[in-house]
Amino acid sequence: ATIVSSLAQWLPRFESALAALSVAQPQPIHGMLQARLGGALNAVGEFERARGLLQEATAALDVPENKDECAYARLLFGNGWLAQGKLDQAESAFLLAIDTPDSYAAGAALANLALVDQRQGRYEQALVRYQERLRRARADGDVRNQAISRLNEATLHYALSRFEETETALREAE
């Protein structure tokens, strides 16, 4: 609740900055700010407004030199759909967000795709994605996301009554 409250206080500032940057032709900085504002709107449940901003952001950023920022905007787009339980739309957005050298956006998209798979009953596919996320986190030396990946994997194993695998994943997450 505290985070949402803080975001709600910052929204007018984001909106003012966006209005100050508004130009006839979309600029990368404009798209970046639209993406962040869209993500904040998702967090406070204003999904329709977020979706509009994130659509504009991806359009403005969808050029090779802004590939990472565009992937991040698509990740935020998917997060909004996921929060609303619209799994097919979330999956589409996350699949687009994976194709980036930005390890944060690609990793988060993989983890969120695994969550979509899990919610749709595609447990083995979810496991493959969690393991790919773990592989990437290890390659990046990202200890935090290694632990998160193992915890996500443990949750899936537990839900499937695979208790030995659950225990192994939890031990490796420590």
Side-chain angles (χ1 to χ4, degrees):
T2 304
I3 293 172
V4 172
S5 173
S6 294
L7 278 174
Q9 292 174 1
W10 279 92
L11 286 175
R13 293 178 186 168
F14 275 125
E15 290 168 332
S16 294
L18 188 59
L21 288 173
S22 289
V23 291
Q25 292 287 64
Q27 301 294 316
I29 188 69
H30 194 248
M32 291 175 201
L33 188 54
Q34 285 174 311
R36 270 78 182 163
L37 179 55
L41 289 168
N42 274 340
V44 298
E46 292 192 36
F47 301 115
E48 202 150 318
R49 282 182 62 203
R51 198 166 34 255
L53 284 169
L54 291 166
Q55 285 173 332
E56 290 178 28
T58 54
L61 296 168
D62 197 11
V63 293
E65 61 268 19
N66 293 318
K67 189 173 186 172
D68 291 348
E69 284 294 331
C70 189
Y72 183 70
R74 287 179 171 139
L75 173 66
L76 295 172
F77 208 116
N79 289 345
W81 288 122
L82 186 60
Q84 296 173 78
K86 297 183 178 183
L87 302 180
D88 290 337
Q89 293 94 325
E91 182 176 34
S92 294
F94 294 142
L95 284 169
L96 290 171
I98 278 182
D99 185 28
T100 178
D102 178 343
S103 62
Y104 171 80
L110 262 172
N112 289 347
L113 275 168
L115 182 58
V116 168
D117 289 331
Q118 193 170 339
R119 288 184 182 175
Q120 292 184 329
R122 299 184 308 232
Y123 303 116
E124 294 308 316
Q125 180 62 37
L127 187 57
V128 167
R129 291 192 206 271
Y130 284 139
Q131 290 169 344
E132 174 62 15
R133 174 64 182 119
L134 176 61
R135 186 194 66 72
R136 289 182 185 202
R138 284 180 176 152
D140 291 342
D142 184 346
V143 176
R144 178 181 176 271
N145 278 308
Q146 288 176 49
I148 290 169
S149 296
R150 294 304 282 163
L151 290 171
N152 288 338
E153 195 176 320
T155 302
L156 175 60
H157 285 307
Y158 185 81
L160 297 173
S161 299
R162 297 175 181 169
F163 301 118
E164 285 182 34
E165 291 92 338
T166 301
E167 188 175 332
T168 298
L170 288 172
R171 238 187 266 117
E172 290 181 14
E174 290 184 304

